[in-house]
Amino acid sequence: MSPTTPLDQRKPAIVILDFGSQYSELIARRIRETEVYSLVISYNTSVEFLQELAPKGIILSGGPSSVYSNAAPLCDPAIWNLDIPVLGVCYGMQLMVHQLGGRVESAKQQSEYGKAPLIIDDPTELLTNVESGSTMWMSHGDSVLELPKGFVKLAHTTNTSKAAIASHERKFYGVQFHPEVVHSTYGMAMIRNFVYHICGCEPEWTTTSFIDESIEQVRNQVKDKSVLLALSGGVDSSTLAFLLNKAIGDQLTCMFIDQGFMRKGEPEFLMEFFKRKFHINVQYINARKRFISKLKGIIDPEEKRKIIGTEFIRVFEEESLRLGPFDYLAQGTLYPDVIESAGTNIDPKTGERVAVKIKSHHNVGGLPKDLQFKLVEPLRTLFKDEVRKLGRSLGLPEEIVRRHPFPGPGLAIRILGEVTDEKLNCLRDADLIVREEIRKSGLYDEVWQAFAVLLPVRSVGVMGDQRTYAWPIVVRCVSSEDGMTADWSRLPGEILEVISNRIVNEVKGVNRVVLDITSKPPGTIEWE
């Protein structure tokens, strides 16, 4: 995200300067849970641009660097003269100390990682209503040895003498732990203290306010022109379709390209749902044969993704010319896509921002340069959980709102090796059983994603009195908040037993079911 091109006209109440922490995005999400609007921007954003944004508070994120190294990423020192409250988190606290005249050194004997009880020395302002002895999540190899002039110690842990600090007069605060993670039991209390009591923010970031502002912005941008939306049926594009339909009505045309890699019965369900039930203009494009022919003999997963992405663009171009002309293209780009595409990770050795490799078939940056559309992206300031709330407020039914994420290339990347019609039919049936049984168990909403994967190997089995030689199905169920990290879901054994029995008995071509118990990292959620 360029510091000179804000996402939209809405100004953030709290700005997070990102120094490469894995938790920067999480800080923004936690602040938004308090109904206060926040944005993540680069650590080297100029003080002039910050003054344009006019935030009520600034948070300096953590990061992998050491403030005393030659390559340490530094914020504009003029920030300290803005008369705006600042909260430094981990590296951000060390940077505050370093730039204001204190001392930070390597804490080889006092490094601290994981859970630690926080002992409070000054229970005012930032630590109001935070229980002494409560758990905080530590992750640091450096420590503050000397405080800058005017700072006091707020709290300590067994290994960190200055775990929280403050300059009450200047409203500068620092914590050596991560209040934004779930392991920090009173972390949200601290965030609320900073956002509400120290910065004086009001809870104005609501779905109602977002809908009203977005409708006005879309109408001002589009005016009387036509808009085309590629509808996938997922939460993001469905919510966007409802929002745009509310904003511009008949000026919206949705295009649903059936590439043949959807889950069982989904194309029929989506057409019935959007076109006939909610009277949203959806054009159905059957491109199944075209897509699968392009994948004949293709085994490499990245090549598969690229072929599907390229073919999707080609079909989209052709059909938009046939159905158009259209002036605008609507995309369901979300804020994590924007952050990821900006590449704000910091190399601790050089202090430079590192571009993050985005997986193929991604919204941001995936369009050809010669595609003659202006973009409409009203969701690009939202996180996934905010999109779900927005969908509910717009009247989107729960069966859409609560849908698990589904990859753009569809089932083609849940089949390892070559994709064929036979494998697709097999996987569709197995995948349906997995989802049906998890819904029956009442655990669907507790699982981030639940699906089946087909492996390109065959193993020996016995059915009745005959030996079989068939494919195995992998059951993959993970729990996560945002998909950035994930853990495998501990489903009850009796549910897994029913899933396994049904798959081997009902799905032709399968004689074995295995369970994936790998977290992310080191694995990924998808297999390809």
Side-chain angles (χ1 to χ4, degrees):
M1 173 173 37
S2 167
T4 60
T5 53
L7 288 177
D8 59 7
Q9 300 168 1
R10 191 181 300 106
K11 290 188 176 182
I14 303 292
V15 163
I16 298 103
L17 297 188
D18 180 17
F19 291 87
S21 171
Q22 61 180 319
Y23 299 130
S24 295
E25 182 182 315
L26 184 56
I27 296 173
R29 289 183 62 237
R30 292 292 182 245
I31 293 170
R32 292 190 186 187
E33 287 175 20
T34 70
E35 296 188 341
V36 171
Y37 185 47
S38 62
L39 282 182
V40 178
I41 60 180
S42 171
Y43 73 92
N44 57 10
T45 298
S46 70
V47 74
E48 289 79 16
F49 184 65
L50 284 171
Q51 287 174 314
E52 287 181 32
L53 292 178
K56 294 185 177 180
I58 297 172
I59 294 179
L60 311 180
S61 83
S65 304
S66 293
V67 295
Y68 47 78
S69 72
N70 292 332
L74 306 175
C75 63
D76 188 331
I79 283 173
W80 309 114
N81 299 320
L82 286 176
D83 196 28
I84 296 174
V86 179
L87 171 63
V89 177
C90 203
Y91 176 86
M93 167 177 156
Q94 296 163 11
L95 179 61
M96 178 186 294
V97 169
H98 179 71
Q99 289 192 320
L100 293 177
R103 189 157 64 96
V104 178
E105 288 188 359
S106 175
K108 293 180 181 178
Q109 301 303 317
Q110 294 186 330
S111 298
E112 202 167 18
Y113 300 94
K115 298 177 182 179
L118 184 73
I119 309 304
I120 296 176
D121 303 299
D122 179 354
T124 60
E125 295 188 338
L126 186 68
L127 300 184
T128 301
N129 297 322
V130 176
E131 185 177 309
S132 187
S134 59
T135 298
M136 293 298 159
W137 186 258
M138 311 292 285
S139 180
H140 66 101
D142 294 337
S143 285
V144 172
L145 297 186
E146 293 181 12
L147 293 176
K149 184 178 179 180
F151 277 75
V152 296
K153 180 173 72 171
L154 300 182
H156 66 278
T157 67
T158 301
N159 293 326
T160 303
S161 62
K162 300 172 183 65
I165 62 173
S167 171
H168 292 302
E169 182 180 353
R170 301 182 70 182
K171 293 190 176 181
F172 294 161
Y173 301 86
V175 292
Q176 192 55 77
F177 47 85
H178 290 276
E180 68 273 18
V181 304
V182 294
H183 308 292
S184 295
T185 52
Y186 280 81
M188 278 303 295
M190 289 184 204
I191 290 172
R192 290 190 187 96
N193 287 338
F194 181 72
V195 169
Y196 290 146
H197 306 308
I198 295 171
C199 298
C201 298
E202 296 292 333
E204 300 172 336
W205 176 245
T206 64
T207 54
T208 301
S209 67
F210 180 86
I211 290 170
D212 293 341
E213 292 175 21
S214 297
I215 287 175
E216 182 180 0
Q217 286 184 22
V218 168
R219 287 174 178 169
N220 289 338
Q221 179 185 5
V222 171
K223 295 183 171 58
D224 61 348
K225 304 298 184 182
S226 57
V227 179
L228 179 62
L229 167 64
L231 183 68
S232 69
V235 178
D236 304 339
S237 67
S238 298
T239 299
L240 181 55
F242 267 55
L243 178 64
L244 291 176
N245 189 57
K246 190 178 181 71
I248 58 174
D250 293 341
Q251 291 171 241
L252 172 68
T253 298
C254 296
M255 184 193 301
F256 171 59
I257 299 175
D258 183 359
Q259 79 302 49
F261 307 137
M262 299 291 287
R263 290 172 287 207
K264 190 166 187 175
E266 281 203 334
E268 296 80 7
F269 165 78
L270 292 174
M271 292 303 296
E272 175 68 28
F273 179 84
F274 283 95
K275 192 166 185 175
R276 286 179 275 279
K277 187 173 182 179
F278 286 95
H279 308 293
I280 295 175
N281 180 16
V282 181
Q283 298 295 319
Y284 174 78
I285 311 299
N286 187 342
R288 296 181 182 185
K289 291 183 179 179
R290 177 170 175 170
F291 274 84
I292 199 165
S293 67
K294 294 289 183 179
L295 294 183
K296 186 175 180 59
I298 303 299
I299 295 175
D300 180 77
E302 187 63 16
E303 189 177 356
K304 266 198 258 184
R305 284 181 178 271
K306 287 179 178 178
I307 289 172
I308 293 171
T310 299
E311 197 62 22
F312 184 90
I313 293 296
R314 296 284 82 81
V315 174
F316 189 83
E317 285 178 321
E318 293 168 15
E319 295 299 328
S320 64
L321 289 173
R322 181 179 67 84
L323 297 170
F326 297 98
D327 302 284
Y328 288 89
L329 172 66
Q331 283 201 136
T333 306
L334 302 190
Y335 193 39
D337 301 334
V338 176
I339 296 174
E340 191 178 9
S341 295
T344 56
N345 281 5
I346 309 300
D347 186 331
K349 295 181 180 179
T350 65
E352 297 297 319
R353 286 176 22 167
V354 179
V356 179
K357 178 175 173 58
I358 309 299
K359 62 189 176 185
S360 306
H361 205 69
H362 197 283
N363 273 342
V364 178
L367 295 173
K369 295 178 180 178
D370 59 348
L371 198 57
Q372 300 301 309
F373 290 114
K374 298 174 185 177
L375 290 181
V376 178
E377 297 178 306
L379 307 184
R380 66 186 273 110
T381 58
L382 299 185
F383 291 105
K384 176 70 80 171
D385 54 337
E386 293 174 315
V387 174
R388 294 187 194 279
K389 291 177 184 176
L390 178 64
R392 289 188 177 96
S393 296
L394 288 166
L396 201 64
E398 286 297 307
E399 57 191 319
I400 296 288
V401 171
R402 295 184 354 241
R403 277 190 156 194
H404 289 175
F406 189 64
L411 298 181
I413 62 165
R414 292 178 179 173
I415 295 173
L416 275 66
E418 184 180 8
V419 179
T420 65
D421 284 322
E422 183 185 8
K423 290 178 181 176
L424 281 167
N425 291 332
C426 175
L427 183 57
R428 280 196 190 95
D429 291 340
D431 181 77
L432 180 62
I433 290 170
V434 172
R435 291 182 291 114
E436 280 181 345
E437 292 304 324
I438 290 178
R439 282 188 186 278
K440 287 179 185 177
S441 71
L443 296 175
Y444 185 85
D445 293 336
E446 297 179 25
V447 176
W448 174 262
Q449 274 179 272
F451 57 91
V453 176
L454 189 146
L455 300 185
V457 296
R458 294 180 186 267
S459 65
V460 174
V462 178
M463 291 184 176
D465 295 325
Q466 295 184 345
R467 286 164 60 88
T468 60
Y469 194 57
W471 291 308
I473 287 290
V474 178
V475 174
R476 178 67 160 154
C477 301
V478 298
S479 301
S480 177
E481 283 195 353
D482 51 20
M484 304 293 284
T485 61
D487 194 12
W488 62 281
S489 301
R490 273 67 170 175
L491 298 180
E494 54 269 25
I495 296 173
L496 295 172
E497 182 180 11
V498 172
I499 289 173
S500 176
N501 286 340
R502 282 196 61 191
I503 289 175
V504 296
N505 281 285
E506 298 176 27
V507 181
K508 184 179 179 181
V510 175
N511 65 357
R512 192 178 298 272
V513 176
V514 298
L515 180 66
D516 182 348
I517 57 171
T518 312
S519 62
K520 174 188 177 182
T524 55
I525 294 177
E526 297 290 344
W527 271 57
E528 286 199 357

